[in-house]
Amino acid sequence: QVQLVESGPGLVKPSQTLSLTCTVSGGSITTNYFHWSWIRQPPGKGLEWMGAITYGGTTYYSPSLKSRTSISRDTSKNQFTLQLGSVTPEDTAKYYCARKYKRPPIRFSLAPSHDEYDLWGQGTQVTVSS
């Protein structure tokens, strides 16, 4: 049974870099056609796709966040990581990692529905405040 678990700080100061890790157990992040996304949900708003890393290591980013977002992976630990720079209070949200199965061509919705992904982590709340 594959499970995703997010980890990282719950509180980040403005202008700092937020770093979150998703640890995957029960399956490899390099398995063909599985893509691993970071998705967030600000209070009172819908889901926002931030970016993804594919089974092959290719990264995709939301155009609105691309300038300050980086996603990487450590295949030896079966983890992938989100870094979001220059955070502001508007980055306060619940952050999720999620898995999607898709053969090429790959597409990611900027405002996904929950059922576009077959597996989700439990989410981790991040607050940006001084």
Side-chain angles (χ1 to χ4, degrees):
Q1 181 181 358
V2 181
Q3 292 186 317
L4 282 62
V5 178
E6 304 92 345
S7 59
L11 180 65
V12 183
K13 294 185 185 304
S15 80
Q16 291 186 340
T17 295
L18 164 66
S19 183
L20 297 175
T21 296
C22 183
T23 300
V24 180
S25 60
S28 173
I29 62 173
T30 62
T31 300
N32 281 0
Y33 310 128
F34 282 110
H35 315 293
W36 308 88
S37 283
W38 285 100
I39 297 166
R40 68 181 182 179
Q41 186 167 28
K45 297 186 179 180
L47 297 172
E48 178 186 16
W49 178 79
M50 301 180 69
I53 188 163
T54 72
Y55 61 96
T58 302
T59 52
Y60 297 84
Y61 298 105
S62 167
S64 66
L65 296 171
K66 184 176 183 178
S67 64
R68 55 190 187 101
T69 304
S70 178
I71 296 174
S72 59
R73 67 179 185 175
D74 185 334
T75 56
S76 68
K77 296 181 180 179
N78 217 36
Q79 296 175 333
F80 61 104
T81 298
L82 168 74
Q83 290 195 309
L84 179 66
S86 304
V87 297
T88 72
E90 286 66 43
D91 294 309
T92 294
K94 194 163 188 178
Y95 286 74
Y96 298 90
C97 56
R99 186 185 76 174
K100 179 175 187 172
Y101 179 89
K102 181 66 170 69
R103 290 176 175 264
I106 302 169
R107 292 190 182 91
F108 297 101
S109 171
L110 296 180
S113 61
H114 198 272
D115 59 9
E116 288 185 38
Y117 291 80
D118 69 323
L119 196 62
W120 291 74
Q122 81 284 359
T124 187
Q125 178 66 40
V126 176
T127 299
V128 179
S129 175
S130 55

